[in-house]
């Protein structure tokens, strides 16, 4: 079984009913485990067993579900080219809508003028008997050309025994057109008293024009919701300058291979992830991390594809290309977040699935009630059309996707990668944020600041023994010890039987001697008395340093102090969380005095020290059991269980892949201020989604009864179907515009 996620464009989506129908069709294909359709960006993300599913099966399923078309991504195109192709297709769609709206407006004005000839002096010369046929001819042209898409899609849906927004528009305008045509040809059938029956050609024309106007405005606004994604894709340059066989050649960025040497000149964008071989420069990473100041780079430093080189030039070796670059992962995560749905949208989709049939039934009941009340057929028809036209499943369908699309894009621009739309609902409700210490609150680049040797040992021997054991470890503290040994010219000895002891330290055998190195607790648990080291270790711990105690053959041999500076923004970030009413907890496997010192420095409400990796998840669960919504922020492999347990797991982008894989949010920049930004963005997104859904449901709840004539007995007010069309169009546009307020929320 080969599980994969495929993303396709979908043409023909107009409302929530369309979304629901396409999703159900895709999920019915054998081998498809899940499918999510985003109306805002017109894309479907499908989880499949690649051994069972072929793209052709998905195409057939989408086409069979209604007037929809699945757009296959061209495998020969790069991500940039594919995005440009998609943009071109959407731009052409918008241009066609604009042309048809303009043509509809011109024709509608002429039809209105013919219907109100007495108000237009130029038309007074036209025989009264000719105005009706002229209006009929122009309306026929308008419906057959400008409004043809509504009728074509409604017919395609009807053939598949389904209905959508196009059905409502087609039935409403078609009813007005057919009635008016019959009344024009057989006026005696519909005449009331001595007068001629009213004609509704202008109503049919204005409905089509207003709906097209709304769709044009909505399409233009929806394009703006995905601007952040387009911006991310365009960060990577299309070509790279690669040195092969001693020659510099311009190569498509997609064809750069790991290990290639790439030349980056001043003012160019870095094409792939890599490490600088020679040269120096400053690199602007603001569009990826939100950090405004350029970062100095020299030989040995990592650079990220998509960032902008400054005034210097350098050569680099490619370490990640294509989808595996930081930028590639960002794009993939943002797309997945935009495709996912919070629970509130799934409820809206279920309602939308029965919405259109319910509206048609309500319109039919409205017509029957008007006729039963003895009112003229034309009055009942007006109410019937108004009910069909004013109902708007579009606003319900786009209420959540538009907000999620804008919010996830805005977050990505600030270096915050949100994997799932559910997180945009959950993070804003957080009561407690738990921070891991090393690498999260601290810089994660520790260095040795002191070495103590017990009786019978000297600093060189202590450092050599410690470095020998740590040469087999991947812990950040091990790197600090090895670096100090290198500076002092000390070479590690061969190691036998190495064993990492998570949260405590490590053990090994060197030349037949058993070595322990780690926290003083490790020595005590092993039956070694660390008191001979206490004078130095207590003072170090009191100063906020991390203590590494060394024992050889059951006796204390020395200790090493390692300092890891607190990140500059840590205290301010914790203060911002406190101001927002969020409690902060610092958790660490380090000793209590060091942990408490760091906790005081950043202003944490609570500190939990000497917590082993498996207990971090237990501590998170304890907080959850107390009724708190918990965010866990960490960066190491040992944080992965706690990140997965928390309501929201946030991984630092500089940390281990295992931590990022277990997290719901990844902070590319590594700054803690992004935690508060995530919470604030989540709260605003929840508020916008609820505003959108409230407006969508309130609009339909109020609009449909008013269109049916509920106000006629009290105020004598009837709704004109053309006004109903305008109101329906503006409702979905207002939802998109409200969502666009999130563009600068992060």
């Amino acid at each position: 079984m080969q599980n994969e996620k495929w993303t396709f464009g979908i043409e023909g989506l107009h409302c929530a009913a369309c979304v629901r129908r396409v999703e159900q069709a895709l999920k019915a294909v054998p081998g498809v485990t899940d499918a999510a359709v985003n109306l805002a960006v017109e894309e479907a993300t499908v989880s499949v067993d690649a051994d069972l599913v072929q793209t052709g099966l998905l195409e057939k399923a989408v086409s069979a579900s209604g007037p929809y078309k699945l757009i296959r991504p061209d495998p020969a195109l790069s991500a940039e080219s594919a995005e440009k192709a998609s943009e071109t297709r959407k731009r052409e769609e918008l241009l066609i809508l604009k042309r048809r709206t303009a043509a509809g407006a011109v024709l509608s004005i002429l039809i209105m003028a013919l219907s109100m000839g007495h108000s237009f002096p130029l038309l007074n010369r036209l025989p009264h008997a000719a105005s009706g046929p002229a209006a009929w001819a122009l309306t026929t042209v308008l419906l057959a050309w400008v409004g043809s898409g509504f009728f074509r899609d409604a017919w395609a849906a009807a053939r598949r025994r389904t209905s959508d927004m196009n059905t409502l528009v087609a039935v409403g305008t078609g009813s007005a057109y057919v009635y008016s045509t019959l009344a024009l040809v057989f006026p005696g059938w519909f005449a009331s008293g001595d007068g001629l029956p009213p004609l509704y050609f202008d109503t049919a024309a204005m409905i089509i024009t207003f709906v097209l106007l709304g769709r044009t405005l909505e399409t233009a606004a929806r394009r703006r919701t995905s601007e952040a994604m387009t911006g991310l894709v365009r960060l990577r340059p299309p070509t790279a300058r690669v040195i092969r066989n001693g020659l510099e050649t311009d190569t498509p960025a997609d064809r750069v291979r790991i290990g290639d040497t790439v030349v980056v000149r001043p003012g160019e964008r870095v094409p792939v992830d890599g490490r600088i071989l020679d040269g120096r420069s400053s690199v602007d990473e603001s569009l990826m991390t939100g950090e405004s100041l350029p970062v100095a780079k020299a030989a040995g430093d990592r650079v990220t594809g998509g960032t902008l080189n400054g005034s210097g030039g350098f050569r680099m070796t490619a370490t990640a290309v294509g989808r595996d670059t930081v930028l590639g992962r960002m794009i993939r995560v943002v797309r997945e977040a935009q495709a996912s749905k919070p629970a509130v949208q799934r409820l809206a989709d279920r309602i939308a699935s029965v919405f259109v049939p319910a509206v048609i039934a309500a319109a039919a009941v409205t017509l029957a009630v008007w006729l039963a009340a003895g009112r003229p057929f034309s009055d009942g028809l007006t109410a019937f059309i108004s009910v069909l036209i004013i109902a708007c499943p579009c606003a319900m369908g786009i209420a959540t996707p538009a907000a999620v699309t804008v919010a996830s894009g805005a977050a990505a621009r600030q270096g915050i990668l949100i994997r799932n739309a559910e997180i945009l609902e959950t993070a804003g409700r957080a009561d407690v944020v738990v921070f891991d210490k090393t690498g999260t609150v601290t810089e994660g680049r520790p260095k040795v600041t002191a070495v103590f040797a017990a009786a019978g040992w000297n600093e060189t021997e202590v450092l050599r023994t410690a470095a020998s054991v740590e040469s087999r470890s991947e812990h950040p503290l091990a790197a600090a010890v090895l670096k100090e040994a290198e500076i002092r010219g000390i070479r590690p000895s061969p190691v036998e039987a190495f064993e990492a002891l998570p949260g405590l330290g490590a053990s090994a055998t060197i030349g037949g001697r058993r070595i322990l190195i780690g926290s003083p607790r490790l020595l005590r648990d092993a039956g070694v008395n660390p008191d001979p080291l206490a004078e130095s270790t207590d003072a170090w711990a009191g100063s906020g340093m991390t203590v590494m105690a060394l024992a050889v053959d059951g006796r204390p041999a020395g200790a090493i102090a390692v300092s890891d500076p607190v990140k500059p923004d840590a205290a301010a970030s914790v203060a911002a969380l406190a101001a927002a009413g969020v409690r902060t907890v610092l958790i660490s496997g380090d000793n209590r005095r060091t942990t408490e010192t760091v906790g005081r420095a950043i202003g944490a409400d609570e500190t939990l020290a000497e917590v082993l990796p498996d207990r971090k998840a237990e501590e998170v669960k304890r907080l959850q059991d107390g009724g708190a919504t918990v965010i866990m922020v960490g960066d190491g492999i040992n944080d992965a269980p706690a990140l997965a347990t928390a309501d929201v797991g946030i991984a630092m982008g500089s940390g281990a892949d295992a931590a990022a894989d277990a997290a719901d949010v990844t902070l590319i920049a590594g700054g803690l201020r992004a935690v508060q930004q995530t919470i604030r963005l989540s709260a605003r997104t929840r508020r916008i989604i609820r505003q959108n859904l409230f407006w969508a449901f309130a609009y339909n709840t109020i609009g449909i009864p008013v269109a049916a004539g509920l106000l006629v007995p009290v105020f004598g007010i009837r709704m004109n179907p053309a006004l109903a069309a305008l109101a329906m169009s503006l409702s979905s546009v207002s939802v998109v515009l409200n969502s666009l307020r999130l563009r600068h929320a992060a």
Side-chain angles (χ1 to χ4, degrees), residues 344-345 348 396 399-400 688-698:
V344 66
Q345 179 60 26
M396 288 190 292
T400 299
I688 292 293
I689 289 174
R690 276 152 180 74
Q691 289 171 359
N692 288 350
L693 289 172
F694 172 80
W695 167 248
F697 283 106

Side-chain angles (χ1 to χ4, degrees), residues 132-155:
W136 171 84
L138 290 175
T139 305
T140 301
V141 171
L142 187 146
L143 295 183
W145 174 40
V146 177
S148 60
F150 295 109
F151 292 94
R152 183 178 58 249
D153 291 347
W155 174 246

Side-chain angles (χ1 to χ4, degrees), residues 54-91:
Q54 296 179 343
T55 307
L57 296 175
L58 302 179
E59 282 182 310
K60 290 180 181 178
V62 170
S63 298
S65 66
Y68 316 114
K69 181 181 179 182
L70 184 142
I71 308 298
R72 292 194 193 199
D74 188 340
L77 295 179
S78 63
E80 292 83 359
S81 299
E83 190 69 24
K84 288 177 182 176
S86 175
E87 277 297 300
T88 300
R89 177 172 57 83
K90 291 177 181 178
R91 190 164 51 247

Side-chain angles (χ1 to χ4, degrees), residues 173-235:
T173 56
S175 299
Y177 176 78
V178 170
Y179 166 82
S180 300
T181 301
L182 292 174
L184 181 66
V185 178
F186 306 106
W189 291 6
F190 304 97
S192 57
D194 297 329
L196 293 173
L199 302 179
Y200 293 103
F201 291 124
D202 55 337
T203 296
M206 293 303 292
I207 288 172
I208 292 292
T209 301
F210 279 140
V211 173
L212 276 176
L213 174 63
R215 189 169 287 183
T216 302
L217 295 173
E218 181 186 337
T219 301
R222 274 162 51 180
R223 283 185 64 196
R224 292 169 62 192
T225 66
S226 56
E227 281 178 351
M229 171 60 74
T230 304
L232 282 177
V233 171
R234 289 176 178 169
L235 283 179

Side-chain angles (χ1 to χ4, degrees), residues 126-313:
L126 186 69
H128 181 70
S131 62
W136 171 84
L138 290 175
T139 305
T140 301
V141 171
L142 187 146
L143 295 183
W145 174 40
V146 177
S148 60
F150 295 109
F151 292 94
R152 183 178 58 249
D153 291 347
W155 174 246
R159 286 170 54 199
R160 295 168 177 84
R161 299 181 181 179
T162 62
S163 56
D164 57 18
M165 176 195 164
N166 295 299
T167 305
L168 299 179
V169 175
V171 172
T173 56
S175 299
Y177 176 78
V178 170
Y179 166 82
S180 300
T181 301
L182 292 174
L184 181 66
V185 178
F186 306 106
W189 291 6
F190 304 97
S192 57
D194 297 329
L196 293 173
L199 302 179
Y200 293 103
F201 291 124
D202 55 337
T203 296
M206 293 303 292
I207 288 172
I208 292 292
T209 301
F210 279 140
V211 173
L212 276 176
L213 174 63
R215 189 169 287 183
T216 302
L217 295 173
E218 181 186 337
T219 301
R222 274 162 51 180
R223 283 185 64 196
R224 292 169 62 192
T225 66
S226 56
E227 281 178 351
M229 171 60 74
T230 304
L232 282 177
V233 171
R234 289 176 178 169
L235 283 179
R236 192 177 72 173
T239 60
R241 194 171 290 103
V242 180
I243 298 178
R244 288 179 181 161
N245 301 321
L247 299 175
E248 285 189 19
T249 57
D250 286 340
T251 303
D254 284 340
R255 297 183 183 176
V256 177
R257 299 188 295 264
I258 293 176
D260 277 347
T261 299
V262 180
V263 178
V264 182
R265 293 177 179 172
E268 294 181 340
R269 288 201 177 274
V270 180
V272 295
D273 293 359
R275 191 181 295 276
I276 295 179
L277 296 173
D278 54 61
R280 61 177 59 245
S281 185
S282 58
V283 177
D284 182 355
E285 301 178 337
S286 59
L287 287 176
M288 293 190 63
T289 66
E291 297 294 337
S292 58
L293 296 177
V295 180
K297 301 287 185 179
D301 289 339
R302 291 184 178 275
V303 286
T304 304
T307 54
L308 182 63
N309 184 30
S311 58

